[in-house]
């Protein structure tokens, strides 16, 4: 996932804010560290307030939530890309030449 996320951030920056490519290249490690910190905090909260057995279903909820957010992001990005192609007159044509 590391390379995939970094390429996504770089592609997004290239399309919308080309001068922020350096920042986009650092977002991968930042987002991974934030995710680890939030997961550790949630796991600690669940373990201390409920019990060790409750980690499984709470982790499942987090995984389902992450999947839903990824699907929403995919649909929004796909809609943005198709609208961009239509504006540029590339609908149904190859973007590059061989």
């Amino acid at each position: 996932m590391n390379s995939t996320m970094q390429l996504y951030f770089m592609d997004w920056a290239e399309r919308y804010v080309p001068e922020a490519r350096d920042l986009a290249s650092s977002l991968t490690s930042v987002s991974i560290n934030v995710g680890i910190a939030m997961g550790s905090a949630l796991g600690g909260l669940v373990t201390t307030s409920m019990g060790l057995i409750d980690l499984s279903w709470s982790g499942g909820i987090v995984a389902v939530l992450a999947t839903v957010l990824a699907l929403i992001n995919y649909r929004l990005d796909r809609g943005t890309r198709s609208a961009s192609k239509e504006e540029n007159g590339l609908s149904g044509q190859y973007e590059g030449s061989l």
Side-chain angles (χ1 to χ4, degrees), residues 3-95:
S3 299
T4 306
M5 284 177 32
Q6 191 160 11
L7 286 173
Y8 177 75
F9 288 145
M10 295 295 289
D11 184 41
W12 194 88
E14 187 70 35
R15 271 188 288 159
Y16 297 108
V17 190
E19 61 271 4
R21 284 181 287 176
D22 293 334
L23 174 66
S25 67
S26 68
L27 286 177
T28 303
S29 60
V30 170
S31 62
I32 289 172
N33 287 328
V34 167
I36 290 170
M38 289 175 64
S40 298
L42 180 64
L45 181 70
V46 168
T47 302
T48 56
S49 65
M50 293 181 216
L52 195 58
I53 192 74
D54 296 316
L55 279 176
S56 59
W57 64 264
S58 61
I61 290 173
V62 171
V64 168
L65 179 63
T67 303
V68 168
L69 290 174
L71 288 173
I72 290 170
N73 186 31
Y74 174 74
R75 287 180 180 240
L76 288 173
D77 189 46
R78 188 177 62 177
T80 302
R81 285 180 190 239
S82 65
S84 164
K85 285 181 183 179
E86 288 175 6
E87 287 177 5
N88 294 330
L90 297 174
S91 181
Q93 299 176 3
Y94 291 109
E95 287 186 39

